[in-house]
Amino acid sequence: AAALSGAMAAEGPRSLFALSAAAVSRSMGALEPDVWALPGHLLRGLLPLLTVFRLERAEGAARRAGLSTQPIWRKLWDDVMKTRPPNSENITCWRKKFLETFFSNVLHGVLDVSSDWRLNDRHFSPLLHSSPHVSQLTLCNMLQGAVELTAEHNQKVLENLAGSLRILKFQHLLSSDQSIRRSLVLLLHRLIHHGSVSQVSMYSWPVPDTVLLVLILSMSAGFWRSGNALAYHSSPCGLCREEDKAQSQESAQERAESSHCDEREWSDGENQKRSPRAPEEPNAEVNGCGADACLNPVLSGLRSPPLQNQACSEASGKAPCDHTSVQGGSSRCISDPLSCHPVLRKTRRRLKSAVGKKRRCLRRSRAPYADPEDLYDFVFTVAREDNSGLLNKNSTTEGENAENWTSSSPGSLCTGHAGCKKRGGSAGIFSLKAAHRFRSVSTLELFSIPLTGETCRTLSNLLSSWVSLENLVLSYNGLGANIFCILSGLRALSRHSDCRLRVLRVSDVFSHMPCMELVRCILSAFPQLHTLSVSFDLKNQLEGNRPEGNPNRSEAEIPESCLEQLEIRFPREPLHTAFLLPVLKASKSLQQLSLDSATLPSSRELGLLLEVLKEYNPNLKKLSFHDVNLAEHQKEVLLLLQDPVLQEITFSFCRLFESSTTEFLSEIINTVKRNSSLKSLKLPGNRLGNHRLVALADIFSEDSSSSLCQLDVSSNCIKPDGLLEFTKKLEGHIQQRGGQIQFTHLRLFQNWLDQDAETAQEALRRLKAVCSVVNDSWDSSQAFADYISVM
């Protein structure tokens, strides 16, 4: 109240209505129901005087009164955040934007709620009341946010996030101790396994903590140790407990059926004696879904020494339950008698000798504290029972897949790659047989995180059965030869009938194999992909000595694909159409094609490309060339501009006018004027200069049939006087056409508009009356050398 009065006093004398509204806002606790019933014109004056807590609760009343709270939330953003959010023009709900950012800032301790009176309400719990609006959350550094969210007093906050959060990001992570990792385990389990998180992204981790990285990857894939429910403040996860209860009932029913079938081995009296103690019988121990086994907490059980752990594992003889990962819901654990009982018969004698050890281990596992190495053991479990039949069925398949890359894709070397063979194939350091399968995410993104050989083998193993995965982005991970390990996992994944992967993006500094070879390998294994992006900065030094392969053979190996978008960034290597054309012929559904940083050996290569696009890709709508020298390919450029199907064409930094004449520019303008299907023309970085920009205004002349809506002339050495002349000429054409023009967007990034601010402002003001203009404040002095070259 004092803060509100002080704010009002600072604003000067107020009207009687304003004073009354302020008095009402101070007594909202008692007056809230009556306030929500006020007429709209009264409620409008009251809303800006409410605290965040009351304003959020007023949303329904404001909507019923026909009022919008968006301007109030926008002002709150400006007053509290004091920054301009990126892409602010695209923000549709400032209420959500404010509360989501507010939650993150409070969680990470960068915002003091006492800094503004509107945030200071005794009824307002910052994290609790803003959490339902959080759909995206970033955790940084030492994961302090994970520790805070899993604290007992924030249990309700975590429940809210489980329902609202969709994207979980990790950025600039550092190594952490076991207590922090345990908090992270609980957070991931609640938000992913029993929540709604569908995307996990990790950014900028130059020296990743392998244990932490594998932990995040494995839990994102829906894996955690089989038969172990997570402990939440010394009690098992409630959702897991419900599942375990159902599983225990199923196990009891199976034990009853098994006892009935084994009457010939035991007398009726013997069975009656042992029946009440069924959980201690070998049959119950093997089943692996009993209450004692399933409620053995990963983070609250005492870890036995390695030999005792092995004995316990042998004693329990657990056969893996069949867990199906279902996107959007938690999984059910269903024991399969056909898989459990054969193991029981083979190991009955060993189980009886070890049953005492098993009971002691179960008693130890109920201890209320955890050994720090327990989590480490799970992450680095190595499969030892290669021939026991208990391994996940994918581990065998992956080894075979690694060997099949050579036969299915020329040049692939996964067969001889030591990394894929180490420790029993691509199962590597992570054993799926020891894991319980929960719900998994559908999008995984790894940006600037170096992946070692062991981490790549773990990721490959996870990918091999990650059927819910729809989007995979691997960007600047230093894969090198480990790319074959990732391909092995993807190939195994493609064999699942319910595989959902549709978007794959791979980018790195060095390419370990030619770009087109990698594209062919991926599409041969994954013809159901919709989007494929392959991008490399530099060519591997050893790659120059490798043969390119036989293009005729590669064409026969590429099945017809569902590809709709293909993006290839070549590491300054020639664009051999002999390898690209088979891919295009197999991609009849292609709608977008982007070629970046390729060199064209001859005009014939580009001509062949255009012929194939016209014949085999009738649905192609967007075509982009970036950093491809087209100075000597004027004929092909004009053919593309008159294509009746293409709707968007990009020539970015393609040196279009480097050796051209004025006739070429006129031909471009006349071609675009006659093309009624082209909607967007992007010409950034082609040194248009003032005179060429002014000439482009003729595209919209009275005799033009062009439907061009968007024009991008960024980075083109345009000065304010040239922009003003272009504007005047455009205004004249619009006037001649009676104001009827489809031109709506003009992009002007990185031009020399700062050289004459007054002229630039006049030009921009007049342009904005015609279309939407997107520009920036750019220091043109850094482009002085480029300017000299244009003069």
Side-chain angles (χ1 to χ4, degrees), residues 680-694:
S680 175
L681 179 61
K682 300 181 179 180
L683 304 170
N686 284 289
R687 300 184 178 182
L688 285 173
N690 281 355
H691 66 287
R692 293 192 182 97
L693 174 67
V694 174

Side-chain angles (χ1 to χ4, degrees), residues 101-172:
T101 307
F102 174 79
F103 178 92
S104 179
N105 289 348
V106 171
L107 179 66
H108 294 102
V110 297
L111 177 63
D112 183 6
V113 295
S114 63
S115 61
D116 192 290
W117 65 268
R118 289 164 292 188
L119 309 179
N120 195 5
D121 190 310
R122 63 186 181 88
H123 301 286
F124 182 53
S125 175
L127 295 181
L128 179 62
H129 289 102
S130 58
S131 55
H133 302 275
V134 179
S135 60
Q136 178 175 306
L137 178 64
T138 301
L139 299 177
C140 310
N141 304 326
M142 295 293 293
L143 294 170
Q144 302 94 328
V147 176
E148 177 65 20
L149 289 176
T150 54
E152 190 167 5
H153 61 273
N154 281 325
Q155 184 175 359
K156 181 59 177 175
V157 175
L158 193 56
E159 291 179 8
N160 288 342
L161 289 178
S164 66
L165 197 66
R166 297 294 182 270
I167 302 174
L168 182 59
K169 297 182 179 181
F170 298 92
Q171 191 169 10
H172 306 304

Side-chain angles (χ1 to χ4, degrees), residues 335-355:
S335 299
D336 184 0
L338 296 178
S339 62
C340 293
H341 290 174
V343 179
L344 169 63
R345 289 194 290 270
K346 290 179 181 180
T347 59
R348 187 180 302 280
R349 184 174 302 172
R350 182 181 62 180
L351 293 174
K352 287 185 177 180
S353 65
V355 68

Side-chain angles (χ1 to χ4, degrees), residues 603-665:
S603 296
R604 180 176 176 275
E605 297 286 329
L606 185 56
L608 289 174
L609 173 62
L610 299 187
E611 290 178 8
V612 170
L613 290 176
K614 185 175 182 180
E615 181 178 357
Y616 292 93
N617 307 108
N619 299 315
L620 189 67
K621 298 294 188 295
K622 297 182 180 180
L623 179 62
S624 173
F625 292 93
H626 176 78
D627 200 11
V628 178
N629 190 350
L630 298 177
E632 304 299 331
H633 303 280
Q634 298 177 11
K635 176 184 175 182
E636 288 75 16
V637 168
L638 293 175
L639 286 174
L640 284 172
L641 289 174
Q642 66 186 13
D643 189 287
V645 178
L646 287 174
Q647 297 180 3
E648 180 178 307
I649 299 178
T650 300
F651 298 116
S652 175
F653 293 87
C654 290
R655 311 180 194 177
L656 286 181
F657 307 103
E658 190 172 90
S659 58
S660 68
T661 61
T662 55
E663 288 76 11
F664 179 54
L665 178 61

Side-chain angles (χ1 to χ4, degrees), residues 419-468:
C420 289
K421 296 291 186 182
K422 187 177 180 182
R423 299 201 218 177
S426 61
I429 59 176
F430 181 78
S431 175
L432 296 183
K433 80 178 185 68
H436 188 134
R437 196 68 184 263
F438 291 90
R439 177 187 176 275
S440 54
V441 301
S442 59
T443 298
L444 176 67
E445 298 179 339
L446 303 179
F447 296 94
S448 301
I449 301 178
L451 300 180
T452 64
E454 284 192 341
T455 309
C456 285
R457 288 189 293 277
T458 299
L459 179 57
S460 175
N461 196 30
L462 294 171
L463 290 173
S464 67
S465 61
W466 199 334
V467 294
S468 70

Side-chain angles (χ1 to χ4, degrees), residues 282-351:
N283 193 8
E285 294 159 356
V286 171
N287 237 330
C289 286
D292 285 341
C294 286
L295 296 181
N296 176 22
V298 166
L299 301 181
S300 65
L302 174 64
R303 178 181 177 272
S304 304
L307 290 179
Q308 277 192 330
N309 268 354
Q310 187 174 355
C312 294
S313 177
E314 293 175 353
S316 61
K318 295 176 184 176
C321 299
D322 180 20
H323 301 288
T324 303
S325 177
V326 179
Q327 188 69 18
S330 56
S331 60
R332 293 266 308 179
C333 173
I334 304 175
S335 299
D336 184 0
L338 296 178
S339 62
C340 293
H341 290 174
V343 179
L344 169 63
R345 289 194 290 270
K346 290 179 181 180
T347 59
R348 187 180 302 280
R349 184 174 302 172
R350 182 181 62 180
L351 293 174

